[in-house]
Amino acid sequence: MVLFRPNEPHEFHKIGENATFACLQIAPGILPVDRRLIADGKLPHEYLPEEDFKRLKNTFSAVVRAYLMQEDHYALYCVGQVCLIFHTLLQHMPTHVLTAEEVSSIDKRNARLKRLIRFVDENYMHKIRLSDFARAEGCSMTHLSHFIKSSMNQTFQEYVNSVRFHRACELMAVGNKKMLEICMESGFSDYRYFS
């Protein structure tokens, strides 16, 4: 079990056998907390007593099952259990309250990240350049390159290519288009590179 802060870059890789990841992503405002807290640790098992950690894992598994089964009132159950999970985490893990300046900085960063994602989503099928986004943001390309690398753990072009790749996979899954059509609709201008 690993905790990630909001908008913290991360990726998973399996080692050896097949792996399945269960991820719990909490929407802002879902938890009834009166201040912005940040966990200072990432690995709950390092802070929780063994029995509490075992109970936490069982609760997490129950939330995943309820979400996948979607029986009556599952959403209410899931939110309640998530609150219990976070209550346990906040009782045992080191945290700190964000200052107003930290909250403002995080909010600005998140807003820019959302604008970047929207910009790519709206333009990936055409020739897309970081300079266009930099101009819209009123920033230098160097500043935005560093921002993207630190926020997404990849370059602007790597991110655009991943969006294009996922779109191509969606189109291939439908199965009613030729590969050249998929290539063009996904924003790849070079069929050899796409292949």
Side-chain angles (χ1 to χ4, degrees), residues 44-176:
H45 74 271
E46 292 179 349
Y47 301 97
L48 275 70
E50 187 176 335
E51 194 58 40
D52 286 347
F53 184 65
K54 185 177 178 183
R55 193 169 29 258
L56 186 79
K57 289 194 316 185
N58 289 338
T59 302
F60 180 81
S61 296
V63 168
V64 171
R65 271 192 306 280
Y67 181 80
L68 293 174
M69 299 296 291
Q70 295 195 0
E71 294 176 351
D72 290 343
H73 315 294
Y74 79 95
L76 181 61
Y77 174 81
C78 290
V79 169
Q81 296 304 304
V82 166
C83 286
L84 291 174
I85 288 170
F86 274 87
H87 179 262
T88 301
L89 292 172
L90 293 174
Q91 277 186 315
H92 296 285
M93 293 188 69
T95 61
H96 73 274
V97 178
L98 295 174
T99 65
E101 294 80 25
E102 288 173 313
V103 170
S104 175
S105 175
I106 290 170
D107 288 346
K108 285 179 186 175
R109 178 185 171 109
N110 290 347
R112 174 169 282 160
L113 191 56
K114 287 177 186 175
R115 289 191 301 271
L116 172 71
I117 291 168
R118 186 172 43 249
F119 174 76
V120 172
D121 284 347
E122 291 171 356
N123 296 290
Y124 71 88
M125 66 289 297
H126 310 290
K127 185 174 181 177
I128 183 172
R129 298 182 310 216
L130 180 58
S131 60
D132 296 331
F133 185 68
R135 189 171 28 265
E137 288 291 300
C139 294
S140 72
M141 284 186 37
T142 302
H143 175 76
L144 277 179
S145 291
H146 290 296
F147 170 79
I148 293 166
K149 187 69 173 173
S150 69
S151 298
M152 305 181 95
N153 206 25
Q154 56 189 327
T155 67
F156 176 75
Q157 198 56 54
E158 288 169 340
Y159 176 64
V160 171
N161 285 341
S162 71
V163 170
R164 289 174 173 161
F165 173 77
H166 290 294
R167 177 62 180 148
C169 289
E170 290 171 1
L171 292 170
M172 282 188 268
V174 173
N176 62 354

Side-chain angles (χ1 to χ4, degrees), residues 32-49:
V33 293
D34 56 352
R35 56 194 171 174
R36 304 268 299 256
L37 293 172
I38 292 288
D40 294 324
K42 290 203 173 294
L43 304 171
H45 74 271
E46 292 179 349
Y47 301 97
L48 275 70

